[in-house]
Amino acid sequence: MHILNQRLEPAPGVLYVVGTPIGNLGDLSPRAKSVLAKASVIASEDTRHSGKLLKSLGSTGKQISFHQHNYQSRIPKLLDILKEGKTLAVISDAGLPGISDPGEELVAAARKALYEVICVPGPCAAITALVSSGLPSTKFCFEGFLPSKGNERKLRLASIAKERRTTIIYEAPHRLIKLMKELEELCGGSRRVQVAKELTKLHEEQIGPDISTVLDYFLEHKPKGEITIILDGKEDAKENQINDIFWEKELNNLIAEGESPSQAVRKLAKKTGLSRSMLYSLIHKKTKVNYSKETN
Ligand code: SAM
């Protein structure tokens, strides 16, 4: 049985975290519309972008910009608004605030200051892509945007490759091919993946079912629009093999840069915390392979 929320909303002194559409304006819930129309203050990322939505709802609330570059200085001001007993709503440009968008720190600060926080749920690209992917959704993890380069990216990718749960990744279209190539190298081309493009929009598209097919597709069709990637978890038996491939490649890179094998092992062990003996075993494995090649 469905029970309607009998509380009068929005209530004074409460922070409302409101989900807004990720493309299709029809996805804005009646409750979200009502809270946004009546809130005294609405904190939003891009006030011009959100201003159009708020205007269409007849909102007379004051807009305050709240984004990744000003959230620290804004939070005390927003808490003052709650202190004055006004109703405050926070929205992002699209989807749920706090999911790869500002909101998390404001909610934490409001809770710390003992203000009530209520989420008015709405669309989220991560969950929308997951449930439409056909990949396991009983256990999953959210990675959001990966670091764009460097060691941090390598370590995150290595950890994603061995993750057993389904993984959700956000990626910009101009970086998608690079990511697919990296995933192909680390996970193998047959790992299942589903790329969701432009969810809820006119040109919504899903591309799968595995990394190699997706890579081939995007090499032919330039990636465009908003993209969420759903990657299947690793099968248990493949774990060691995947790790070995990755760390062996890292060792090879160091050796190609001029390090001796033992220097390469020491350097990588220091950087990653991996055991030297495990890394040495990869070098020895490589030596054996090379040796057999030479004698054939
Ligand atoms: N807070 C948002 C949410 O709840 O989904 C996510 C914001 S994050 C800054 C933006 C990223 O979400 C995009 O770069 C893309 O990876 C993903 N995304 C947003 N809208 C999408 C859509 N309609 N289709 C596919 N992915 C989308």
PDB file of all heavy atoms in Angstrom, residues 158 185-186 240-256 261 264-265 268 274 278-290 293:
ATOM      1  N   ALA A 158      43.593  -0.653 -12.314  1.00  0.00           N
ATOM      2  CA  ALA A 158      44.006  -2.004 -11.908  1.00  0.00           C
ATOM      3  C   ALA A 158      43.025  -2.553 -10.875  1.00  0.00           C
ATOM      4  O   ALA A 158      42.665  -3.730 -10.911  1.00  0.00           O
ATOM      5  CB  ALA A 158      45.416  -1.958 -11.333  1.00  0.00           C
ATOM      6  N   GLU A 185      42.981  -3.897 -22.350  1.00  0.00           N
ATOM      7  CA  GLU A 185      44.295  -4.417 -21.977  1.00  0.00           C
ATOM      8  C   GLU A 185      44.253  -5.096 -20.606  1.00  0.00           C
ATOM      9  O   GLU A 185      44.851  -6.146 -20.399  1.00  0.00           O
ATOM     10  CB  GLU A 185      45.256  -3.241 -21.928  1.00  0.00           C
ATOM     11  CG  GLU A 185      46.704  -3.639 -21.985  1.00  0.00           C
ATOM     12  CD  GLU A 185      47.546  -2.388 -22.149  1.00  0.00           C
ATOM     13  OE1 GLU A 185      47.475  -1.769 -23.211  1.00  0.00           O
ATOM     14  OE2 GLU A 185      48.238  -2.034 -21.191  1.00  0.00           O
ATOM     15  N   LEU A 186      43.510  -4.495 -19.692  1.00  0.00           N
ATOM     16  CA  LEU A 186      43.508  -5.003 -18.310  1.00  0.00           C
ATOM     17  C   LEU A 186      42.502  -6.117 -18.055  1.00  0.00           C
ATOM     18  O   LEU A 186      42.746  -6.998 -17.232  1.00  0.00           O
ATOM     19  CB  LEU A 186      43.196  -3.858 -17.343  1.00  0.00           C
ATOM     20  CG  LEU A 186      44.292  -2.837 -17.163  1.00  0.00           C
ATOM     21  CD1 LEU A 186      43.756  -1.616 -16.448  1.00  0.00           C
ATOM     22  CD2 LEU A 186      45.429  -3.442 -16.361  1.00  0.00           C
ATOM     23  N   ASN A 240      44.219 -13.475 -10.813  1.00  0.00           N
ATOM     24  CA  ASN A 240      45.679 -13.426 -10.797  1.00  0.00           C
ATOM     25  C   ASN A 240      46.242 -13.103 -12.166  1.00  0.00           C
ATOM     26  O   ASN A 240      47.196 -12.344 -12.299  1.00  0.00           O
ATOM     27  CB  ASN A 240      46.235 -14.754 -10.286  1.00  0.00           C
ATOM     28  CG  ASN A 240      45.890 -14.919  -8.826  1.00  0.00           C
ATOM     29  OD1 ASN A 240      45.682 -13.924  -8.134  1.00  0.00           O
ATOM     30  ND2 ASN A 240      45.781 -16.150  -8.364  1.00  0.00           N
ATOM     31  N   GLN A 241      45.579 -13.690 -13.174  1.00  0.00           N
ATOM     32  CA  GLN A 241      46.050 -13.470 -14.540  1.00  0.00           C
ATOM     33  C   GLN A 241      45.996 -11.976 -14.906  1.00  0.00           C
ATOM     34  O   GLN A 241      46.942 -11.423 -15.443  1.00  0.00           O
ATOM     35  CB  GLN A 241      45.134 -14.273 -15.463  1.00  0.00           C
ATOM     36  CG  GLN A 241      45.687 -14.496 -16.824  1.00  0.00           C
ATOM     37  CD  GLN A 241      44.608 -15.069 -17.727  1.00  0.00           C
ATOM     38  OE1 GLN A 241      43.621 -15.625 -17.269  1.00  0.00           O
ATOM     39  NE2 GLN A 241      44.812 -14.910 -19.015  1.00  0.00           N
ATOM     40  N   ILE A 242      44.874 -11.331 -14.525  1.00  0.00           N
ATOM     41  CA  ILE A 242      44.702  -9.905 -14.850  1.00  0.00           C
ATOM     42  C   ILE A 242      45.757  -9.062 -14.144  1.00  0.00           C
ATOM     43  O   ILE A 242      46.399  -8.213 -14.738  1.00  0.00           O
ATOM     44  CB  ILE A 242      43.289  -9.437 -14.445  1.00  0.00           C
ATOM     45  CG1 ILE A 242      42.274  -9.998 -15.430  1.00  0.00           C
ATOM     46  CG2 ILE A 242      43.195  -7.922 -14.413  1.00  0.00           C
ATOM     47  CD1 ILE A 242      40.883  -9.979 -14.902  1.00  0.00           C
ATOM     48  N   ASN A 243      45.936  -9.336 -12.853  1.00  0.00           N
ATOM     49  CA  ASN A 243      46.936  -8.572 -12.106  1.00  0.00           C
ATOM     50  C   ASN A 243      48.316  -8.753 -12.710  1.00  0.00           C
ATOM     51  O   ASN A 243      49.072  -7.798 -12.869  1.00  0.00           O
ATOM     52  CB  ASN A 243      46.970  -9.039 -10.650  1.00  0.00           C
ATOM     53  CG  ASN A 243      45.775  -8.512  -9.905  1.00  0.00           C
ATOM     54  OD1 ASN A 243      45.165  -7.548 -10.340  1.00  0.00           O
ATOM     55  ND2 ASN A 243      45.428  -9.145  -8.810  1.00  0.00           N
ATOM     56  N   ASP A 244      48.641 -10.009 -13.036  1.00  0.00           N
ATOM     57  CA  ASP A 244      49.960 -10.305 -13.577  1.00  0.00           C
ATOM     58  C   ASP A 244      50.210  -9.525 -14.862  1.00  0.00           C
ATOM     59  O   ASP A 244      51.281  -8.946 -15.043  1.00  0.00           O
ATOM     60  CB  ASP A 244      50.097 -11.809 -13.864  1.00  0.00           C
ATOM     61  CG  ASP A 244      50.263 -12.602 -12.572  1.00  0.00           C
ATOM     62  OD1 ASP A 244      50.224 -11.966 -11.501  1.00  0.00           O
ATOM     63  OD2 ASP A 244      50.432 -13.828 -12.635  1.00  0.00           O
ATOM     64  N   ILE A 245      49.198  -9.501 -15.724  1.00  0.00           N
ATOM     65  CA  ILE A 245      49.368  -8.806 -17.012  1.00  0.00           C
ATOM     66  C   ILE A 245      49.691  -7.335 -16.759  1.00  0.00           C
ATOM     67  O   ILE A 245      50.594  -6.757 -17.346  1.00  0.00           O
ATOM     68  CB  ILE A 245      48.085  -8.934 -17.886  1.00  0.00           C
ATOM     69  CG1 ILE A 245      47.876 -10.385 -18.299  1.00  0.00           C
ATOM     70  CG2 ILE A 245      48.166  -8.024 -19.117  1.00  0.00           C
ATOM     71  CD1 ILE A 245      46.513 -10.666 -18.925  1.00  0.00           C
ATOM     72  N   PHE A 246      48.950  -6.730 -15.814  1.00  0.00           N
ATOM     73  CA  PHE A 246      49.116  -5.313 -15.555  1.00  0.00           C
ATOM     74  C   PHE A 246      50.497  -4.993 -14.977  1.00  0.00           C
ATOM     75  O   PHE A 246      51.218  -4.128 -15.474  1.00  0.00           O
ATOM     76  CB  PHE A 246      48.021  -4.833 -14.584  1.00  0.00           C
ATOM     77  CG  PHE A 246      48.119  -3.372 -14.267  1.00  0.00           C
ATOM     78  CD1 PHE A 246      47.721  -2.420 -15.194  1.00  0.00           C
ATOM     79  CD2 PHE A 246      48.629  -2.931 -13.053  1.00  0.00           C
ATOM     80  CE1 PHE A 246      47.814  -1.067 -14.918  1.00  0.00           C
ATOM     81  CE2 PHE A 246      48.733  -1.577 -12.771  1.00  0.00           C
ATOM     82  CZ  PHE A 246      48.321  -0.650 -13.702  1.00  0.00           C
ATOM     83  N   TRP A 247      50.886  -5.743 -13.922  1.00  0.00           N
ATOM     84  CA  TRP A 247      52.146  -5.424 -13.261  1.00  0.00           C
ATOM     85  C   TRP A 247      53.348  -5.809 -14.127  1.00  0.00           C
ATOM     86  O   TRP A 247      54.384  -5.133 -14.099  1.00  0.00           O
ATOM     87  CB  TRP A 247      52.232  -6.095 -11.878  1.00  0.00           C
ATOM     88  CG  TRP A 247      51.154  -5.595 -10.964  1.00  0.00           C
ATOM     89  CD1 TRP A 247      50.193  -6.343 -10.348  1.00  0.00           C
ATOM     90  CD2 TRP A 247      50.894  -4.233 -10.599  1.00  0.00           C
ATOM     91  NE1 TRP A 247      49.348  -5.537  -9.625  1.00  0.00           N
ATOM     92  CE2 TRP A 247      49.755  -4.237  -9.755  1.00  0.00           C
ATOM     93  CE3 TRP A 247      51.486  -3.011 -10.899  1.00  0.00           C
ATOM     94  CZ2 TRP A 247      49.227  -3.071  -9.210  1.00  0.00           C
ATOM     95  CZ3 TRP A 247      50.956  -1.851 -10.363  1.00  0.00           C
ATOM     96  CH2 TRP A 247      49.846  -1.887  -9.534  1.00  0.00           C
ATOM     97  N   GLU A 248      53.165  -6.851 -14.945  1.00  0.00           N
ATOM     98  CA  GLU A 248      54.237  -7.243 -15.865  1.00  0.00           C
ATOM     99  C   GLU A 248      54.486  -6.100 -16.858  1.00  0.00           C
ATOM    100  O   GLU A 248      55.634  -5.770 -17.168  1.00  0.00           O
ATOM    101  CB  GLU A 248      53.792  -8.510 -16.613  1.00  0.00           C
ATOM    102  CG  GLU A 248      54.931  -9.349 -17.127  1.00  0.00           C
ATOM    103  CD  GLU A 248      54.410 -10.624 -17.794  1.00  0.00           C
ATOM    104  OE1 GLU A 248      53.481 -11.268 -17.269  1.00  0.00           O
ATOM    105  OE2 GLU A 248      54.937 -10.951 -18.863  1.00  0.00           O
ATOM    106  N   LYS A 249      53.402  -5.492 -17.291  1.00  0.00           N
ATOM    107  CA  LYS A 249      53.533  -4.389 -18.240  1.00  0.00           C
ATOM    108  C   LYS A 249      54.228  -3.183 -17.582  1.00  0.00           C
ATOM    109  O   LYS A 249      55.083  -2.543 -18.188  1.00  0.00           O
ATOM    110  CB  LYS A 249      52.135  -3.991 -18.744  1.00  0.00           C
ATOM    111  CG  LYS A 249      52.176  -3.053 -19.896  1.00  0.00           C
ATOM    112  CD  LYS A 249      50.852  -2.949 -20.591  1.00  0.00           C
ATOM    113  CE  LYS A 249      50.882  -1.818 -21.579  1.00  0.00           C
ATOM    114  NZ  LYS A 249      50.726  -0.487 -20.979  1.00  0.00           N
ATOM    115  N   GLU A 250      53.864  -2.930 -16.333  1.00  0.00           N
ATOM    116  CA  GLU A 250      54.506  -1.830 -15.608  1.00  0.00           C
ATOM    117  C   GLU A 250      56.009  -2.076 -15.473  1.00  0.00           C
ATOM    118  O   GLU A 250      56.821  -1.183 -15.663  1.00  0.00           O
ATOM    119  CB  GLU A 250      53.899  -1.698 -14.204  1.00  0.00           C
ATOM    120  CG  GLU A 250      52.495  -1.160 -14.195  1.00  0.00           C
ATOM    121  CD  GLU A 250      52.440   0.292 -14.643  1.00  0.00           C
ATOM    122  OE1 GLU A 250      52.856   1.174 -13.896  1.00  0.00           O
ATOM    123  OE2 GLU A 250      52.000   0.534 -15.785  1.00  0.00           O
ATOM    124  N   LEU A 251      56.378  -3.336 -15.171  1.00  0.00           N
ATOM    125  CA  LEU A 251      57.801  -3.678 -15.047  1.00  0.00           C
ATOM    126  C   LEU A 251      58.497  -3.498 -16.392  1.00  0.00           C
ATOM    127  O   LEU A 251      59.584  -2.929 -16.483  1.00  0.00           O
ATOM    128  CB  LEU A 251      57.952  -5.128 -14.562  1.00  0.00           C
ATOM    129  CG  LEU A 251      57.606  -5.373 -13.084  1.00  0.00           C
ATOM    130  CD1 LEU A 251      57.494  -6.864 -12.784  1.00  0.00           C
ATOM    131  CD2 LEU A 251      58.647  -4.737 -12.170  1.00  0.00           C
ATOM    132  N   ASN A 252      57.852  -3.981 -17.440  1.00  0.00           N
ATOM    133  CA  ASN A 252      58.427  -3.843 -18.788  1.00  0.00           C
ATOM    134  C   ASN A 252      58.679  -2.383 -19.136  1.00  0.00           C
ATOM    135  O   ASN A 252      59.698  -2.030 -19.725  1.00  0.00           O
ATOM    136  CB  ASN A 252      57.493  -4.442 -19.846  1.00  0.00           C
ATOM    137  CG  ASN A 252      57.550  -5.950 -19.821  1.00  0.00           C
ATOM    138  OD1 ASN A 252      58.486  -6.530 -19.260  1.00  0.00           O
ATOM    139  ND2 ASN A 252      56.551  -6.590 -20.391  1.00  0.00           N
ATOM    140  N   ASN A 253      57.725  -1.534 -18.756  1.00  0.00           N
ATOM    141  CA  ASN A 253      57.867  -0.101 -19.053  1.00  0.00           C
ATOM    142  C   ASN A 253      59.094   0.468 -18.355  1.00  0.00           C
ATOM    143  O   ASN A 253      59.877   1.212 -18.949  1.00  0.00           O
ATOM    144  CB  ASN A 253      56.630   0.676 -18.588  1.00  0.00           C
ATOM    145  CG  ASN A 253      55.440   0.420 -19.482  1.00  0.00           C
ATOM    146  OD1 ASN A 253      55.603  -0.096 -20.594  1.00  0.00           O
ATOM    147  ND2 ASN A 253      54.252   0.743 -19.008  1.00  0.00           N
ATOM    148  N   LEU A 254      59.249   0.092 -17.075  1.00  0.00           N
ATOM    149  CA  LEU A 254      60.399   0.602 -16.319  1.00  0.00           C
ATOM    150  C   LEU A 254      61.708   0.105 -16.925  1.00  0.00           C
ATOM    151  O   LEU A 254      62.677   0.861 -17.064  1.00  0.00           O
ATOM    152  CB  LEU A 254      60.291   0.170 -14.849  1.00  0.00           C
ATOM    153  CG  LEU A 254      59.204   0.876 -14.032  1.00  0.00           C
ATOM    154  CD1 LEU A 254      59.035   0.207 -12.671  1.00  0.00           C
ATOM    155  CD2 LEU A 254      59.548   2.346 -13.836  1.00  0.00           C
ATOM    156  N   ILE A 255      61.717  -1.178 -17.320  1.00  0.00           N
ATOM    157  CA  ILE A 255      62.932  -1.754 -17.909  1.00  0.00           C
ATOM    158  C   ILE A 255      63.230  -1.063 -19.252  1.00  0.00           C
ATOM    159  O   ILE A 255      64.376  -0.708 -19.540  1.00  0.00           O
ATOM    160  CB  ILE A 255      62.799  -3.291 -18.041  1.00  0.00           C
ATOM    161  CG1 ILE A 255      62.779  -3.914 -16.632  1.00  0.00           C
ATOM    162  CG2 ILE A 255      63.928  -3.885 -18.884  1.00  0.00           C
ATOM    163  CD1 ILE A 255      62.340  -5.355 -16.552  1.00  0.00           C
ATOM    164  N   ALA A 256      62.165  -0.804 -20.009  1.00  0.00           N
ATOM    165  CA  ALA A 256      62.346  -0.115 -21.305  1.00  0.00           C
ATOM    166  C   ALA A 256      62.881   1.295 -21.092  1.00  0.00           C
ATOM    167  O   ALA A 256      63.561   1.851 -21.946  1.00  0.00           O
ATOM    168  CB  ALA A 256      61.016  -0.082 -22.057  1.00  0.00           C
ATOM    169  N   PRO A 261      66.242  -5.009 -14.150  1.00  0.00           N
ATOM    170  CA  PRO A 261      65.082  -5.716 -13.610  1.00  0.00           C
ATOM    171  C   PRO A 261      64.928  -5.546 -12.092  1.00  0.00           C
ATOM    172  O   PRO A 261      63.830  -5.304 -11.606  1.00  0.00           O
ATOM    173  CB  PRO A 261      65.354  -7.177 -13.990  1.00  0.00           C
ATOM    174  CG  PRO A 261      66.164  -7.073 -15.249  1.00  0.00           C
ATOM    175  CD  PRO A 261      67.023  -5.851 -15.067  1.00  0.00           C
ATOM    176  N   ALA A 264      63.753  -2.094 -11.285  1.00  0.00           N
ATOM    177  CA  ALA A 264      62.338  -1.956 -11.661  1.00  0.00           C
ATOM    178  C   ALA A 264      61.453  -2.557 -10.574  1.00  0.00           C
ATOM    179  O   ALA A 264      60.443  -1.957 -10.173  1.00  0.00           O
ATOM    180  CB  ALA A 264      62.079  -2.643 -13.011  1.00  0.00           C
ATOM    181  N   VAL A 265      61.843  -3.727 -10.068  1.00  0.00           N
ATOM    182  CA  VAL A 265      61.061  -4.385  -9.014  1.00  0.00           C
ATOM    183  C   VAL A 265      61.026  -3.518  -7.768  1.00  0.00           C
ATOM    184  O   VAL A 265      59.972  -3.275  -7.174  1.00  0.00           O
ATOM    185  CB  VAL A 265      61.639  -5.788  -8.702  1.00  0.00           C
ATOM    186  CG1 VAL A 265      61.090  -6.324  -7.382  1.00  0.00           C
ATOM    187  CG2 VAL A 265      61.331  -6.759  -9.833  1.00  0.00           C
ATOM    188  N   LEU A 268      58.838  -0.370  -8.298  1.00  0.00           N
ATOM    189  CA  LEU A 268      57.391  -0.640  -8.355  1.00  0.00           C
ATOM    190  C   LEU A 268      56.872  -1.086  -6.985  1.00  0.00           C
ATOM    191  O   LEU A 268      55.765  -0.710  -6.584  1.00  0.00           O
ATOM    192  CB  LEU A 268      57.107  -1.707  -9.424  1.00  0.00           C
ATOM    193  CG  LEU A 268      55.659  -1.843  -9.878  1.00  0.00           C
ATOM    194  CD1 LEU A 268      55.115  -0.525 -10.412  1.00  0.00           C
ATOM    195  CD2 LEU A 268      55.509  -2.916 -10.963  1.00  0.00           C
ATOM    196  N   LEU A 274      53.359  -3.495  -3.314  1.00  0.00           N
ATOM    197  CA  LEU A 274      53.304  -4.924  -3.681  1.00  0.00           C
ATOM    198  C   LEU A 274      54.591  -5.608  -3.230  1.00  0.00           C
ATOM    199  O   LEU A 274      55.639  -4.964  -3.108  1.00  0.00           O
ATOM    200  CB  LEU A 274      53.159  -5.071  -5.203  1.00  0.00           C
ATOM    201  CG  LEU A 274      51.818  -4.627  -5.785  1.00  0.00           C
ATOM    202  CD1 LEU A 274      51.912  -4.528  -7.299  1.00  0.00           C
ATOM    203  CD2 LEU A 274      50.715  -5.586  -5.378  1.00  0.00           C
ATOM    204  N   MET A 278      56.695 -11.221  -5.361  1.00  0.00           N
ATOM    205  CA  MET A 278      55.658 -11.401  -6.381  1.00  0.00           C
ATOM    206  C   MET A 278      56.098 -10.742  -7.700  1.00  0.00           C
ATOM    207  O   MET A 278      55.975 -11.311  -8.771  1.00  0.00           O
ATOM    208  CB  MET A 278      54.348 -10.771  -5.874  1.00  0.00           C
ATOM    209  CG  MET A 278      53.125 -11.027  -6.734  1.00  0.00           C
ATOM    210  SD  MET A 278      53.017 -10.043  -8.214  1.00  0.00           S
ATOM    211  CE  MET A 278      52.352  -8.519  -7.599  1.00  0.00           C
ATOM    212  N   LEU A 279      56.692  -9.526  -7.566  1.00  0.00           N
ATOM    213  CA  LEU A 279      57.125  -8.821  -8.779  1.00  0.00           C
ATOM    214  C   LEU A 279      58.296  -9.557  -9.443  1.00  0.00           C
ATOM    215  O   LEU A 279      58.352  -9.658 -10.672  1.00  0.00           O
ATOM    216  CB  LEU A 279      57.493  -7.378  -8.439  1.00  0.00           C
ATOM    217  CG  LEU A 279      56.296  -6.510  -7.978  1.00  0.00           C
ATOM    218  CD1 LEU A 279      56.782  -5.156  -7.462  1.00  0.00           C
ATOM    219  CD2 LEU A 279      55.304  -6.303  -9.111  1.00  0.00           C
ATOM    220  N   TYR A 280      59.216 -10.102  -8.611  1.00  0.00           N
ATOM    221  CA  TYR A 280      60.331 -10.878  -9.188  1.00  0.00           C
ATOM    222  C   TYR A 280      59.801 -12.082  -9.962  1.00  0.00           C
ATOM    223  O   TYR A 280      60.310 -12.437 -11.019  1.00  0.00           O
ATOM    224  CB  TYR A 280      61.285 -11.361  -8.086  1.00  0.00           C
ATOM    225  CG  TYR A 280      62.393 -10.370  -7.802  1.00  0.00           C
ATOM    226  CD1 TYR A 280      62.531  -9.776  -6.557  1.00  0.00           C
ATOM    227  CD2 TYR A 280      63.314 -10.035  -8.807  1.00  0.00           C
ATOM    228  CE1 TYR A 280      63.535  -8.863  -6.295  1.00  0.00           C
ATOM    229  CE2 TYR A 280      64.327  -9.112  -8.547  1.00  0.00           C
ATOM    230  CZ  TYR A 280      64.435  -8.536  -7.295  1.00  0.00           C
ATOM    231  OH  TYR A 280      65.426  -7.638  -7.058  1.00  0.00           O
ATOM    232  N   SER A 281      58.744 -12.711  -9.425  1.00  0.00           N
ATOM    233  CA  SER A 281      58.217 -13.904 -10.110  1.00  0.00           C
ATOM    234  C   SER A 281      57.709 -13.533 -11.507  1.00  0.00           C
ATOM    235  O   SER A 281      57.793 -14.324 -12.439  1.00  0.00           O
ATOM    236  CB  SER A 281      57.119 -14.568  -9.283  1.00  0.00           C
ATOM    237  OG  SER A 281      55.947 -13.791  -9.354  1.00  0.00           O
ATOM    238  N   LEU A 282      57.219 -12.305 -11.650  1.00  0.00           N
ATOM    239  CA  LEU A 282      56.760 -11.875 -12.977  1.00  0.00           C
ATOM    240  C   LEU A 282      57.939 -11.692 -13.921  1.00  0.00           C
ATOM    241  O   LEU A 282      57.866 -12.007 -15.110  1.00  0.00           O
ATOM    242  CB  LEU A 282      55.961 -10.574 -12.882  1.00  0.00           C
ATOM    243  CG  LEU A 282      54.662 -10.640 -12.080  1.00  0.00           C
ATOM    244  CD1 LEU A 282      53.981  -9.287 -12.077  1.00  0.00           C
ATOM    245  CD2 LEU A 282      53.731 -11.689 -12.658  1.00  0.00           C
ATOM    246  N   ILE A 283      59.045 -11.157 -13.373  1.00  0.00           N
ATOM    247  CA  ILE A 283      60.244 -10.970 -14.195  1.00  0.00           C
ATOM    248  C   ILE A 283      60.752 -12.348 -14.642  1.00  0.00           C
ATOM    249  O   ILE A 283      61.087 -12.545 -15.799  1.00  0.00           O
ATOM    250  CB  ILE A 283      61.363 -10.266 -13.395  1.00  0.00           C
ATOM    251  CG1 ILE A 283      60.909  -8.872 -12.995  1.00  0.00           C
ATOM    252  CG2 ILE A 283      62.685 -10.275 -14.149  1.00  0.00           C
ATOM    253  CD1 ILE A 283      61.537  -7.739 -13.731  1.00  0.00           C
ATOM    254  N   HIS A 284      60.765 -13.288 -13.707  1.00  0.00           N
ATOM    255  CA  HIS A 284      61.266 -14.620 -14.047  1.00  0.00           C
ATOM    256  C   HIS A 284      60.373 -15.296 -15.063  1.00  0.00           C
ATOM    257  O   HIS A 284      60.831 -15.950 -15.978  1.00  0.00           O
ATOM    258  CB  HIS A 284      61.401 -15.491 -12.784  1.00  0.00           C
ATOM    259  CG  HIS A 284      62.514 -14.989 -11.909  1.00  0.00           C
ATOM    260  ND1 HIS A 284      62.431 -14.972 -10.548  1.00  0.00           N
ATOM    261  CD2 HIS A 284      63.707 -14.437 -12.227  1.00  0.00           C
ATOM    262  CE1 HIS A 284      63.556 -14.433 -10.052  1.00  0.00           C
ATOM    263  NE2 HIS A 284      64.324 -14.112 -11.065  1.00  0.00           N
ATOM    264  N   LYS A 285      59.062 -15.066 -14.916  1.00  0.00           N
ATOM    265  CA  LYS A 285      58.108 -15.634 -15.866  1.00  0.00           C
ATOM    266  C   LYS A 285      58.432 -15.104 -17.265  1.00  0.00           C
ATOM    267  O   LYS A 285      58.508 -15.830 -18.227  1.00  0.00           O
ATOM    268  CB  LYS A 285      56.690 -15.198 -15.472  1.00  0.00           C
ATOM    269  CG  LYS A 285      55.603 -15.989 -16.128  1.00  0.00           C
ATOM    270  CD  LYS A 285      54.262 -15.644 -15.489  1.00  0.00           C
ATOM    271  CE  LYS A 285      53.380 -14.945 -16.490  1.00  0.00           C
ATOM    272  NZ  LYS A 285      52.287 -14.240 -15.906  1.00  0.00           N
ATOM    273  N   LYS A 286      58.696 -13.778 -17.309  1.00  0.00           N
ATOM    274  CA  LYS A 286      58.984 -13.118 -18.575  1.00  0.00           C
ATOM    275  C   LYS A 286      60.276 -13.693 -19.176  1.00  0.00           C
ATOM    276  O   LYS A 286      60.352 -13.980 -20.366  1.00  0.00           O
ATOM    277  CB  LYS A 286      59.138 -11.611 -18.333  1.00  0.00           C
ATOM    278  CG  LYS A 286      59.418 -10.818 -19.554  1.00  0.00           C
ATOM    279  CD  LYS A 286      59.393  -9.349 -19.199  1.00  0.00           C
ATOM    280  CE  LYS A 286      59.923  -8.524 -20.346  1.00  0.00           C
ATOM    281  NZ  LYS A 286      61.360  -8.511 -20.429  1.00  0.00           N
ATOM    282  N   THR A 287      61.290 -13.885 -18.306  1.00  0.00           N
ATOM    283  CA  THR A 287      62.570 -14.396 -18.794  1.00  0.00           C
ATOM    284  C   THR A 287      62.373 -15.773 -19.434  1.00  0.00           C
ATOM    285  O   THR A 287      62.881 -16.053 -20.507  1.00  0.00           O
ATOM    286  CB  THR A 287      63.581 -14.523 -17.630  1.00  0.00           C
ATOM    287  OG1 THR A 287      63.519 -13.322 -16.903  1.00  0.00           O
ATOM    288  CG2 THR A 287      64.970 -14.761 -18.131  1.00  0.00           C
ATOM    289  N   LYS A 288      61.541 -16.599 -18.762  1.00  0.00           N
ATOM    290  CA  LYS A 288      61.307 -17.940 -19.286  1.00  0.00           C
ATOM    291  C   LYS A 288      60.649 -17.856 -20.660  1.00  0.00           C
ATOM    292  O   LYS A 288      61.039 -18.528 -21.592  1.00  0.00           O
ATOM    293  CB  LYS A 288      60.382 -18.717 -18.336  1.00  0.00           C
ATOM    294  CG  LYS A 288      61.129 -19.445 -17.257  1.00  0.00           C
ATOM    295  CD  LYS A 288      60.154 -20.262 -16.432  1.00  0.00           C
ATOM    296  CE  LYS A 288      60.647 -20.357 -15.001  1.00  0.00           C
ATOM    297  NZ  LYS A 288      59.585 -20.566 -14.055  1.00  0.00           N
ATOM    298  N   VAL A 289      59.663 -16.980 -20.771  1.00  0.00           N
ATOM    299  CA  VAL A 289      58.950 -16.853 -22.046  1.00  0.00           C
ATOM    300  C   VAL A 289      59.934 -16.423 -23.137  1.00  0.00           C
ATOM    301  O   VAL A 289      59.987 -17.019 -24.208  1.00  0.00           O
ATOM    302  CB  VAL A 289      57.792 -15.822 -21.919  1.00  0.00           C
ATOM    303  CG1 VAL A 289      57.162 -15.568 -23.265  1.00  0.00           C
ATOM    304  CG2 VAL A 289      56.752 -16.333 -20.939  1.00  0.00           C
ATOM    305  N   ASN A 290      60.757 -15.408 -22.821  1.00  0.00           N
ATOM    306  CA  ASN A 290      61.712 -14.928 -23.819  1.00  0.00           C
ATOM    307  C   ASN A 290      62.693 -16.027 -24.223  1.00  0.00           C
ATOM    308  O   ASN A 290      63.009 -16.178 -25.385  1.00  0.00           O
ATOM    309  CB  ASN A 290      62.500 -13.735 -23.255  1.00  0.00           C
ATOM    310  CG  ASN A 290      61.624 -12.497 -23.237  1.00  0.00           C
ATOM    311  OD1 ASN A 290      60.572 -12.505 -23.870  1.00  0.00           O
ATOM    312  ND2 ASN A 290      62.054 -11.477 -22.527  1.00  0.00           N
ATOM    313  N   LYS A 293      61.236 -18.465 -26.519  1.00  0.00           N
ATOM    314  CA  LYS A 293      61.090 -17.890 -27.865  1.00  0.00           C
ATOM    315  C   LYS A 293      62.411 -17.965 -28.621  1.00  0.00           C
ATOM    316  O   LYS A 293      62.454 -18.302 -29.780  1.00  0.00           O
ATOM    317  CB  LYS A 293      60.639 -16.433 -27.764  1.00  0.00           C
ATOM    318  CG  LYS A 293      59.137 -16.282 -27.725  1.00  0.00           C
ATOM    319  CD  LYS A 293      58.773 -14.824 -27.823  1.00  0.00           C
ATOM    320  CE  LYS A 293      57.273 -14.645 -27.604  1.00  0.00           C
ATOM    321  NZ  LYS A 293      56.969 -13.293 -27.181  1.00  0.00           N
TER     322      LYS A 293
END
